[in-house]
């Protein structure tokens, strides 16, 4: 069991597969979580409060810990491990000392910051929810204070997860978000019976604790020994701080996007913030599975290529990953757009989540889908810069994207309500992507041109054929199932999606799409390997 939990993944495809597989489980649990929340509370005041209470704790976690990890910690940590000569990989005392120093510094910082922000929540919350009624604001303040427990757990967990990524141990790192969602589901199903809506906040804190605890043993097995080191003048620590400041500002821009949405949604009809978040969670499914998984898996390899001054290898890794993400996310976007109503009704349509909520959420999801390609590729583009120790460029482009979102949201929300928020957000993400991609091409000569246009052409043709088949089958199946029942809607959507995937695969083969052929070949190799393992076990018995 320990061999499975601590398995090392040297192959990019294998690493991405593990991250994606567990990511799918985590995202599916996220859908279960959202279905429970929608069924119990509906798209109304209580869910608005719940999502609004997330904003400030999430802001702290994302800008501090994710900023340190993605921008500075992993490249510096990997560099220390690789540069130590005469020792086995992972026995570097300097690397472990850096981890101990960061653990102690961040633990103290997070405790002080979260306590301080919890105390001043009565002044902060009204600033981001000016449209909430007085009672709604008071409830948001109380939930926000409870949720400030989670950044402390998630912050420390993020550092341990960074170590596991550096050692290419992706299993437990990818399992942590699964347990995080399990904790939230436990809160929604059981704790709400005793504590009401406060049970949701307690579930978030419980899930964050599980996120941390599952990763700690594996880091100790890699050779980590805890020491009390607290050195603010450490050279490696200062390097990370220098690299993470622009990254923090960039992440702050992303988090401010969500605060902007909260600000405008608070003045709309009750449930508007819930509708935005529920549809945003659904569109995040492919972003996390495809964009996030590949970007996480490829980041150490990109950092190593840059450290080795191997520009050709850097570009090759980037091009392959870019095309793989496009191969998955474009057809997925088409499926989501065409089957959005079926998906929303199946995933969220229960209890107090009515048909009006379904229509608004489905339309919001459809708008999000037009920027899925951009949102899925942004993690890869950003990490291409971080691997080159450039955190300023992603910050500048994300800040511009935030400004575009603020202006467009202000314009569109007056005309389209909550749908205007989704439209402004989507356009801003496309602007952000274009800017970052163009700047990367300027910085790295020849990048972004190795067959990407041809790959895009082939996957687009296959996706359009798939979309036509899905639309036809959706209409055709509507005459054979009861569209007033859960099973009928599920059957209609599943049959249409299956037919579309078959069509996509056939067209992809006819066009000799490289990513499809590589995916099938890799799947066959894994299946053959499993067969050989089973045969070996059988022979031993």
């Amino acid at each position: 069991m320990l061999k499975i939990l601590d398995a090392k993944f040297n192959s990019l495809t294998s690493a991405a597969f593990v991250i994606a597989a567990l990511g799918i489980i985590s995202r599916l649990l996220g859908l279960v979580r959202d279905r429970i929340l929608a069924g119990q509370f509906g798209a109304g005041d209580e869910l608005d409060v719940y999502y609004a209470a997330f904003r400030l704790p999430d802001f702290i976690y994302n800008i501090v810990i994710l900023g340190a990890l993605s921008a500075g910690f992993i490249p510096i940590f990997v560099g220390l491990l690789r540069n130590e000569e005469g020792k086995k990989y992972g026995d570097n005392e300097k690397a472990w000392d850096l981890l101990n120093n960061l653990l102690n510094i961040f633990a103290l910082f997070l405790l002080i910051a979260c306590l301080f922000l919890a105390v001043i929540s009565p002044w902060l919350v009204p600033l981001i929810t000016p449209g909430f009624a007085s009672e709604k604001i008071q409830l948001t303040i109380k939930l926000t204070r409870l949720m400030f427990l989670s950044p402390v757990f998630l912050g420390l967990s993020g550092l341990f997860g960074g170590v596991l990524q550096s050692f290419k141990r992706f299993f437990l790192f990818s399992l942590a978000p699964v347990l995080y969602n399990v904790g939230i589901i436990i809160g929604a199903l059981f704790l709400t019976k005793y504590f009401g809506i406060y049970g949701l906040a307690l579930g978030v804190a419980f899930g964050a604790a599980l996120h941390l605890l599952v990763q700690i043993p594996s880091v100790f097995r890699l050779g980590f020994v805890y020491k009390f080191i607290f050195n603010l003048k450490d050279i490696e620590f200062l390097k990370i701080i220098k690299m993470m400041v622009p990254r923090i500002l960039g992440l702050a821009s992303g988090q401010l996007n969500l605060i902007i949405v909260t600000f405008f949604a608070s003045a709309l009809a009750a449930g508007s913030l819930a509708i935005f978040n529920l549809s945003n969670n659904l569109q995040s499914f492919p972003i996390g599975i495809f964009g996030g998984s590949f970007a996480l898996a490829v980041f150490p390899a990109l950092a190593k290529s840059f450290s080795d001054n191997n520009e050709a290898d850097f570009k090759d890794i980037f091009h392959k990953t870019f095309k793989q993400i496009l191969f998955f996310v474009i057809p997925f976007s088409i499926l989501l757009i065409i089957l959005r109503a079926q998906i929303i009704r199946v995933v969220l349509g229960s209890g107090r989540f009515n048909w009006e909520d379904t229509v608004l959420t489905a339309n919001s999801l459809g708008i999000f889908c037009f920027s899925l390609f951009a949102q899925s590729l942004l993690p890869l583009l950003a990490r291409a810069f971080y691997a080159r120790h450039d955190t300023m460029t992603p910050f500048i482009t994300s800040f511009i994207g935030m400004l575009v979102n603020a202006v467009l949201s202000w314009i569109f929300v007056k005309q389209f309500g909550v749908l205007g928020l989704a439209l402004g957000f989507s356009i801003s993400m496309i602007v952000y992507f274009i800017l970052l991609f163009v700047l990367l091409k300027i910085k790295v000569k020849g990048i972004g041109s190795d067959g990407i246009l041809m790959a895009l052409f082939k996957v687009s043709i296959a996706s359009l054929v798939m979309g036509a088949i899905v639309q036809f089958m959706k209409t055709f199946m509507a005459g054979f199932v009861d569209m007033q029942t859960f099973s009928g809607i599920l059957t209609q959507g599943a049959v249409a999606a299956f037919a579309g995937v078959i069509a996509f695969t056939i067209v992809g083969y006819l066009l000799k799409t490289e990513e499809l052929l590589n995916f099938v070949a890799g799947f066959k190799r894994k299946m053959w390997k499993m067969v050989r393992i089973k045969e070996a076990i059988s022979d031993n018995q």
Side-chain angles (χ1 to χ4, degrees), residues 170-207:
F170 293 107
F171 186 85
L172 286 175
F173 165 75
S174 303
L175 182 63
V178 175
L179 297 181
Y180 178 59
N181 275 320
V182 168
I184 297 177
I185 289 172
I186 290 173
L189 285 178
F190 302 107
L191 298 182
T192 52
K193 294 180 180 179
Y194 304 99
F195 305 103
I197 196 171
Y198 299 105
L200 295 179
L202 293 173
V204 170
F206 178 58

Side-chain angles (χ1 to χ4, degrees), residues 7 91 124 138 216 325:
D91 290 346
L124 293 178
Q138 292 304 313
I216 292 177
I325 293 172

Side-chain angles (χ1 to χ4, degrees), residues 168-484:
K168 299 182 180 180
R169 266 64 171 187
F170 293 107
F171 186 85
L172 286 175
F173 165 75
S174 303
L175 182 63
V178 175
L179 297 181
Y180 178 59
N181 275 320
V182 168
I184 297 177
I185 289 172
I186 290 173
L189 285 178
F190 302 107
L191 298 182
T192 52
K193 294 180 180 179
Y194 304 99
F195 305 103
I197 196 171
Y198 299 105
L200 295 179
L202 293 173
V204 170
F206 178 58
L210 293 177
H211 194 286
L212 167 65
L213 294 174
V214 74
Q215 298 185 84
I216 292 177
S218 184
V219 175
F220 275 94
R221 288 194 292 269
L222 287 170
F224 172 65
V225 177
Y226 176 74
K227 299 177 185 177
F228 182 76
I229 300 174
F230 197 94
N231 184 5
L232 295 173
K233 297 181 179 179
D234 177 69
I235 295 175
E236 306 302 336
F237 171 71
L238 293 176
K239 285 181 183 177
I240 293 174
I241 295 299
K242 183 179 179 180
M243 293 170 64
M244 69 182 278
V245 169
R247 171 59 173 158
I248 284 177
L249 295 174
L251 283 168
S253 299
Q255 289 299 303
L256 285 172
N257 269 329
L258 297 177
I259 291 177
I260 288 168
V261 168
T262 304
F263 180 89
F264 285 114
S266 69
L268 298 175
S272 295
L273 182 57
I275 285 169
F276 180 92
N277 278 277
L278 289 170
S279 55
N280 187 34
N281 289 344
L282 280 167
Q283 68 121 9
S284 296
F285 189 99
I287 296 172
I289 298 302
F290 306 129
S293 298
F294 278 104
L296 284 171
V298 80
F299 186 39
L302 288 173
K304 182 178 182 299
S305 296
F306 180 74
S307 179
D308 293 340
N309 198 28
N310 191 339
E311 198 83 319
D313 187 51
F314 184 94
K315 289 189 285 189
D316 183 58
I317 293 170
F318 177 85
H319 289 144
K320 288 180 179 179
T321 310
F322 193 99
K323 289 186 286 187
Q324 284 175 324
I325 293 172
L326 280 179
F327 169 74
F328 286 110
V329 78
I330 290 179
F332 208 99
S333 301
I334 299 295
L335 282 176
L336 282 179
I337 290 173
I338 297 175
L339 298 176
R340 62 189 184 278
Q342 286 76 12
I343 292 170
I344 295 297
R345 202 62 199 153
V346 167
V347 174
L348 303 174
S350 65
R352 293 169 58 185
F353 196 83
N354 57 38
W355 179 247
E356 183 180 353
D357 298 335
T358 298
V359 171
L360 278 174
T361 309
N363 290 337
S364 180
L365 175 62
I367 294 171
F368 276 129
C369 287
F370 287 102
S371 65
L372 269 183
F373 77 95
Q375 295 185 69
S376 298
L377 288 168
L378 280 171
L380 172 64
L381 289 169
R383 281 167 176 78
F385 282 98
Y386 302 149
R388 304 177 71 85
H389 298 188
D390 178 3
T391 53
M392 183 58 70
T393 302
F395 157 63
I396 294 173
T397 51
S398 67
F399 184 77
I400 294 172
M402 181 202 70
L403 293 178
V404 172
N405 181 43
V407 173
L408 293 181
S409 294
W410 177 68
I411 294 172
F412 292 147
V413 76
K414 297 177 180 179
Q415 301 178 33
F416 309 112
V418 67
L419 299 183
L421 296 177
L423 182 58
F425 186 88
S426 285
I427 294 175
S428 69
M429 289 298 102
I430 294 174
V431 171
Y432 179 16
F433 163 77
I434 293 172
L435 289 173
L436 205 56
F437 184 71
V438 170
L439 291 172
L440 183 63
K441 284 181 67 68
I442 294 172
K443 193 176 188 69
V444 185
K445 302 299 181 184
I447 203 165
S449 57
D450 186 17
I452 286 179
L453 286 178
M454 180 55 68
L456 177 61
F457 173 76
K458 290 181 178 180
V459 75
S460 297
I461 293 296
S463 298
L464 289 173
V465 174
M466 179 198 73
I469 297 297
V470 171
Q471 182 62 40
F472 171 79
M473 290 301 298
K474 183 181 77 170
T475 306
F476 177 77
M477 288 300 298
F480 291 88
V481 297
D482 185 356
M483 295 299 296
Q484 301 301 314

Side-chain angles (χ1 to χ4, degrees), residues 35 345-347 349 482-491:
R35 181 176 177 83
R345 202 62 199 153
V346 167
V347 174
D482 185 356
M483 295 299 296
Q484 301 301 314
T485 63
F486 173 87
S487 60
I489 297 173
L490 177 62
T491 301

